[in-house]
Amino acid sequence: MTDADVIIVGAGPTGLMLAGELRLAGVRPLVLERRPRPGEASKANGLSGQILQLLRCRGLLERFRAASTDPDPAPGFPFGGVDLDLTHLTDPPLHALQIPQPRLERVLDERARELGADIRRGHQVVGLAQDDATVTAEVHGPDGPYHVTARYLVGCDGGRSRIRDMVGIPFPGTTYPEVNRLAQVTMPDSVTRLDNGDLDVPGLGRIRAGFTRTDRGVFAFGSLTPEVLMLFTTEDESVEYDDDEPMTLTEFQNSIRRVLGADLPLGEPRRLSRFTFKARQAERYRDGQILLAGDAAHLFPATGVALNAGMLDTVNLAWKLAAAVHGWAPAGLLDTYHDERHLAGARTLLHTQAQVALRRGQDPAAEALREVFRELLVDEQPLRRLGSLVAGTDIRYPIPGADRHALTGTFTPDLALRTDQGTTSVAALMHTARPILVDLADRLDLRETARDWQHRVDIHTAETDQRPADALLIRPDGHIAWAATINEPADTAASTLREALSGWFGAPLRTTTTVPLIDQPS
């Protein structure tokens, strides 16, 4: 007997998203958070990238948009001191949703509780023990110490993860000396916004929009609305800051003074945050019954990507944990969490470290590099490629087997569908977080093949304009596990479909044998 199926350590966005996904899959999660109440610091300002597509697949995007301070911000993003201006693209590869982290966590907490998750705040995990079947956590709670046991435990407890340290998983990488400060403030009366977007500041003169580099650091600004400015400073410091210690407006004003050499009048603060940059990735995301997700598994030296990566970790992990808990996971399924998300983390680390090289150089050669980079981004193809890289939508998971369809391993396109019941979409079919087989060419042979898995896989028949394949087998995390080419012969299509169904979703209803997905030890 266990107290829960999965213990989640940490009630930030990663842990809360995981709790909701596990509940959708019929798993009992227990969330343990050492802080007695939700944090109020806006460590992140919103969501961007592929997680927005995933939220649409869960039917949650409008709920998050309703909580947003700006559901449709202009499609422009910083990249290592260079602006990615996507405004002239009709279908930008990168989108964002402005929602301060405290508000984001409230929405995720509400959703997890609605689904029945047990969330305990003020409960700190101080010890761990595991065997081949369970994990036992030693917890200090408001009423004293106690122990709790589960099949699995997931550390979602941030960059300074105690779970990672207790398990002994190495976390190699680099800590950069820069301290970044970010503020959203109202436009003060004494500052004039010029027609070209620059600021005219009394006693300081004109400050151009974008990035201003001095010998002492970097100052940047942009506007969220005509009334609200977003201001940013970067300085090299040797001070170690406590992540839980909030930044004050005075601290931010002092930083501006050091960087610009003069005071900048500020209005009322809407958001104040401070962060440092690290480039680190856990050597492994799994140790027996214990796994890592989010910042506990990776830290990136750039803004705007951590939430996307961490929440996508959990969506990849949740259905695989559920398969293991419910006893139908094929051999090696849970190990694919590390394989796939470590790959995605390394890809994110690649472009964020490239941003470090772009932004930290201060000499003429570095400025020349940034100028060449800006010229490249005038062309649509490199702009799209870089946008997809930042969004995380260029990831293709390594799917076992040769001669796979080009779509396998990629995130599913949200096709508009016509069915006997009316119009729908791929995203709408995925609200329950179950695997789906979408037959786009009325392939009775493929539907009959999948019928032995209908207890785990939902089967749909639909039509779409310019179908990319005859059929798509889509995992709960939105990635395509298998696809049939247009007019693929029945014998090969049915055979590879059966292999994919067994490899990802276990034994068919009529047999008890399983086909190993991969031959890899835990």
Side-chain angles (χ1 to χ4, degrees):
M1 295 294 294
T2 57
D3 302 294
D5 294 324
V6 178
I7 298 169
I8 301 170
V9 182
T14 300
L16 293 171
M17 184 73 184
L18 178 58
E21 288 290 298
L22 288 173
R23 285 302 302 140
L24 282 178
V27 171
R28 299 174 299 141
L30 169 61
V31 183
L32 301 174
E33 167 58 53
R34 66 179 179 85
R35 296 181 179 89
R37 61 189 62 84
E40 292 299 324
S42 294
K43 296 180 181 179
N45 191 46
L47 298 173
S48 64
Q50 188 174 294
I51 189 60
L52 297 178
Q53 299 178 36
L54 193 285
L55 291 175
R56 179 180 286 110
C57 290
R58 292 295 182 266
L60 293 172
L61 187 56
E62 290 308 311
R63 182 169 181 173
F64 282 82
R65 286 175 61 86
S68 171
T69 55
D70 184 359
D72 296 298
F77 300 84
F79 188 91
V82 176
D83 291 323
L84 296 185
D85 184 4
L86 308 176
T87 55
H88 65 282
L89 300 180
T90 55
D91 55 339
L94 179 60
H95 296 271
L97 184 69
Q98 287 185 5
I99 176 171
Q101 185 163 331
R103 192 176 299 187
L104 170 66
E105 291 183 8
R106 283 197 294 272
V107 175
L108 289 168
D109 184 284
E110 290 168 0
R111 178 202 181 222
R113 292 181 189 274
E114 288 167 6
L115 293 171
D118 184 357
I119 301 173
R120 303 178 188 177
R121 298 186 182 273
H123 294 251
Q124 182 173 2
V125 175
V126 296
L128 290 176
Q130 66 169 318
D131 54 32
D132 292 339
T134 61
V135 181
T136 299
E138 180 184 350
V139 186
H140 283 181
D143 298 324
Y146 65 98
H147 291 81
V148 60
T149 301
R151 289 282 305 280
Y152 296 95
L153 181 145
V154 185
C156 302
D157 53 337
R160 299 180 179 180
S161 170
R162 296 192 66 184
I163 299 301
R164 185 187 62 235
D165 291 344
M166 282 189 276
V167 177
I169 296 177
F171 198 45
T174 301
T175 298
Y176 296 97
E178 57 191 287
V179 176
N180 303 272
R181 295 177 173 88
L182 182 68
Q184 294 174 10
V185 298
T186 57
M187 180 82 75
D189 294 336
S190 58
V191 173
T192 302
R193 188 73 180 269
L194 303 177
D195 291 341
N196 65 353
D198 293 351
L199 295 181
D200 186 18
V201 182
L204 189 58
R206 177 175 294 191
I207 305 176
R208 67 181 180 89
F211 295 86
T212 298
R213 297 176 181 275
T214 73
D215 293 339
R216 298 166 298 278
V218 177
F219 172 81
F221 79 90
S223 61
L224 297 174
T225 69
E227 297 80 25
V228 178
L229 289 173
M230 178 175 285
L231 307 172
F232 175 83
T233 64
T234 296
E235 302 175 83
D236 280 2
E237 298 182 38
S238 58
V239 179
E240 183 77 14
Y241 289 95
D242 184 348
D243 291 342
D244 295 330
E245 180 184 346
M247 185 180 75
T248 64
L249 186 62
T250 298
E251 178 185 333
F252 187 62
Q253 288 171 318
N254 291 339
S255 179
I256 294 176
R257 185 184 305 112
R258 289 192 297 268
V259 172
L260 293 181
D263 288 319
L264 175 67
L266 302 178
E268 291 296 319
R270 300 285 180 84
R271 175 195 173 193
L272 296 169
S273 62
R274 175 203 321 106
F275 50 93
T276 55
F277 279 139
K278 301 176 178 65
R280 297 185 180 276
Q281 187 174 26
E283 287 189 357
R284 58 187 187 276
Y285 288 9
R286 181 186 180 192
D287 185 289
Q289 308 301 105
I290 300 172
L291 303 102
L292 302 176
D295 287 355
H298 41 66
L299 291 172
F300 306 119
T303 58
V305 295
L307 287 181
N308 183 48
M311 293 170 71
L312 289 174
D313 285 347
T314 69
V315 178
N316 183 289
L317 176 59
W319 71 274
K320 298 172 182 178
L321 279 175
V325 168
H326 294 317
W328 58 261
L333 177 65
L334 197 51
D335 289 314
T336 67
Y337 168 65
H338 167 87
D339 298 337
E340 295 177 348
R341 292 311 297 168
H342 199 275
L343 170 69
R347 187 75 175 156
T348 305
L349 204 56
L350 175 71
H351 79 74
T352 53
Q353 286 183 301
Q355 293 189 51
V356 172
L358 275 175
R359 73 170 180 260
R360 283 189 60 77
Q362 300 295 333
D363 61 5
E367 187 53 46
L369 174 63
R370 287 187 286 269
E371 186 58 37
V372 169
F373 204 81
R374 292 186 189 99
E375 289 188 13
L376 289 174
L377 295 180
V378 172
D379 298 330
E380 181 173 338
Q381 192 276 336
L383 184 61
R384 284 191 176 278
R385 181 163 188 152
L386 204 56
S388 297
L389 180 63
V390 175
T393 54
D394 69 331
I395 296 295
R396 183 184 183 187
Y397 292 149
I399 300 297
D403 301 324
R404 298 304 193 196
H405 192 285
L407 286 174
T408 56
T410 66
F411 194 85
T412 181
D414 187 17
L415 303 173
L417 303 175
R418 298 181 296 274
T419 72
D420 291 341
Q421 291 75 42
T423 59
T424 184
S425 67
V426 170
L429 299 179
M430 299 187 65
H431 288 185
T432 59
R434 281 172 57 86
I436 61 172
L437 175 72
V438 185
D439 175 9
L440 299 172
D442 196 17
R443 295 283 300 261
L444 178 61
D445 56 321
L446 300 181
R447 298 198 302 275
E448 284 298 322
T449 298
R451 203 170 303 281
D452 289 348
W453 282 267
Q454 62 185 348
H455 56 308
R456 296 195 190 114
V457 179
D458 294 336
I459 303 171
H460 302 276
T461 303
E463 295 180 348
T464 189
D465 296 333
Q466 299 178 335
R467 71 181 189 272
D470 271 7
L472 299 172
L473 178 63
I474 305 173
R475 306 184 326 188
D477 61 356
H479 281 261
I480 297 172
W482 169 92
T485 58
I486 302 295
N487 300 322
E488 182 174 349
D491 55 348
T492 61
S495 174
T496 56
L497 174 58
R498 177 172 288 274
E499 178 186 350
L501 286 163
S502 297
W504 290 108
F505 308 119
L509 192 60
R510 298 175 188 174
T511 70
T512 57
T513 60
T514 60
V515 177
L517 182 65
I518 55 174
D519 184 15
Q520 178 176 325
S522 299

